[in-house]
Amino acid sequence: SALWIDLIECEERRLPHICQLPNGMLVFPTFSFEEYLNHYFQRLSLYESMWFPVPRMGSKYDDFCNLEFPVCATGKVANMCTLATVAYDASQFGISVNLLQNTTKFLTYPEMIRISQKAPFGGETIDGFHPALQRTFDTTKLTVKRIGTRRELAAALAARPKIPQVAQLELQLLIFDITEVQQVFVRTVATPKWKQLLGKAETMTQIDVVLNKKDSTVSKSVAERLSGWSFLEEFQSDIHIEFCIERPPEDSKAMLLYDSEIDGEMFRSTTANNGPSLKSLLDYDAP
């Protein structure tokens, strides 16, 4: 079979490989076209223009077919967004653009929606999101595991919170740089009686934010970040954010969505992007 497919022209549905980050997060890896070319020519160690993107003939063809090629599909970002959210029934995944490179960008659900709504040749920039979602990361030193089968994916998801991976990724990107936040949990709690008397439901969703110390300024900043979390609309209930310095009781069935020592540390360790950016390498801003 071919080593690549065109998502626009090919109707065949292929299952993309998923990658697991050191904190357990599962993402859908893609490469920009510049990185794609870089991988292609580095792995073949020669240049034959007629062999791009797949060598059709020649002495290197069999060796090329045996490579674990880093790209399984070509297409626009909007097509990749669709693939990341519908390819697997088990979950929806965020996109990591140029994973394990100097400049890695994580695409979350709000960005995917905006990209899909843009005109194909409109030329507009994708902006209007919280600055926390606009960062790039140097992921060259991360150890990433490749998930290649449905069975491996099911096992990996079994150890993850029961919300879409793209939603958890967005939450972690929103708050990882606020070091006072130690953990974030979500759970279902009983609605206070006085609210029930006003016609509210018997239960509501509570987000427990565990801080290393009580600080009203930090609480206000975290609340502002969490209010922009797109997944809040999916809870189908009233939502209350509780700030505390102790984690919820073990019997509360609280779901851990963020841990500073695991998730936060991974993102914080990759934000020091000292290498050249893809933009500068391409001389993008030159007159």
Side-chain angles (χ1 to χ4, degrees):
S1 61
L3 296 178
W4 65 283
I5 59 174
D6 188 314
L7 293 179
I8 298 177
E9 299 179 1
C10 182
E11 297 181 356
E12 180 181 357
R13 180 175 174 177
R14 297 240 180 145
L15 296 179
H17 288 283
I18 300 297
C19 284
Q20 187 172 43
L21 303 180
N23 67 337
M25 177 65 65
L26 299 166
V27 295
F28 171 35
T30 67
F31 290 90
S32 65
F33 207 68
E34 292 76 20
E35 292 290 347
Y36 178 93
L37 288 169
N38 188 41
H39 277 275
Y40 176 80
F41 292 124
Q42 277 187 352
R43 302 187 93 165
L44 283 184
S45 299
L46 51 85
Y47 176 79
E48 288 282 358
S49 60
M50 67 180 182
W51 279 7
F52 180 77
V54 177
R56 304 294 183 181
M57 60 187 70
S59 61
K60 295 288 185 179
Y61 181 72
D62 290 338
D63 292 337
F64 182 88
C65 290
N66 291 327
L67 292 174
E68 290 188 2
F69 207 61
V71 179
C72 66
T74 61
K76 296 180 180 179
V77 178
N79 299 120
M80 296 297 179
C81 294
T82 302
L83 196 61
T85 54
V86 304
Y88 292 97
D89 297 331
S91 187
Q92 297 173 317
F93 303 95
I95 293 178
S96 61
V97 182
N98 296 337
L99 184 62
L100 301 179
Q101 307 303 313
N102 282 322
T103 306
T104 300
K105 173 71 173 71
F106 293 100
L107 287 178
T108 56
Y109 195 68
E111 295 166 296
M112 293 183 192
I113 295 296
R114 182 78 64 85
I115 289 170
S116 299
Q117 291 173 343
K118 290 289 184 181
F121 303 102
E124 304 95 342
T125 57
I126 306 300
D127 51 19
F129 297 102
H130 194 285
L133 298 179
Q134 298 294 304
R135 298 185 179 95
T136 58
F137 301 84
D138 183 349
T139 58
T140 52
K141 296 182 180 180
L142 290 186
T143 301
V144 175
K145 178 182 179 182
R146 187 177 183 180
I147 307 293
T149 66
R150 283 185 179 272
R151 180 174 297 180
E152 291 176 348
L153 180 61
L157 284 172
R160 305 296 296 162
K162 307 305 179 186
I163 67 170
Q165 289 293 280
V166 65
Q168 189 182 9
L169 174 64
E170 181 186 349
L171 171 69
Q172 294 179 0
L173 290 173
L174 283 172
I175 63 174
F176 78 86
D177 61 330
I178 305 178
T179 55
E180 291 84 357
V181 178
Q182 300 300 296
Q183 293 175 316
V184 176
F185 296 85
V186 63
R187 55 175 170 155
T188 301
V189 299
T191 303
K193 293 295 183 182
W194 67 270
K195 286 189 176 182
Q196 294 185 35
L197 293 174
L198 296 176
K200 298 295 185 180
E202 294 183 358
T203 60
M204 65 179 185
T205 299
Q206 179 166 304
I207 300 176
D208 296 287
V209 180
V210 183
L211 304 176
N212 57 7
K213 62 180 179 180
K214 288 188 176 182
D215 187 321
S216 59
T217 303
V218 173
S219 299
K220 183 178 180 180
S221 177
V222 174
E224 183 265 331
R225 299 277 186 100
L226 290 179
S227 66
W229 186 28
S230 64
F231 193 69
L232 292 179
E233 300 175 0
E234 303 296 326
F235 284 114
Q236 304 291 323
S237 65
D238 289 342
I239 298 171
H240 171 68
I241 300 176
E242 182 72 21
F243 294 96
C244 51
I245 57 175
E246 294 183 0
R247 57 178 293 159
E250 295 291 339
D251 59 355
S252 64
K253 297 182 179 179
M255 186 164 53
L256 177 62
L257 300 182
Y258 170 81
D259 188 300
S260 180
E261 294 183 358
I262 300 174
D263 308 305
E265 184 56 35
M266 184 196 75
F267 286 114
R268 288 192 293 269
S269 68
T270 58
T271 51
N273 190 347
N274 298 320
S277 68
L278 184 61
K279 202 172 183 181
S280 64
L281 288 174
L282 294 174
D283 209 14
Y284 182 82
D285 294 319

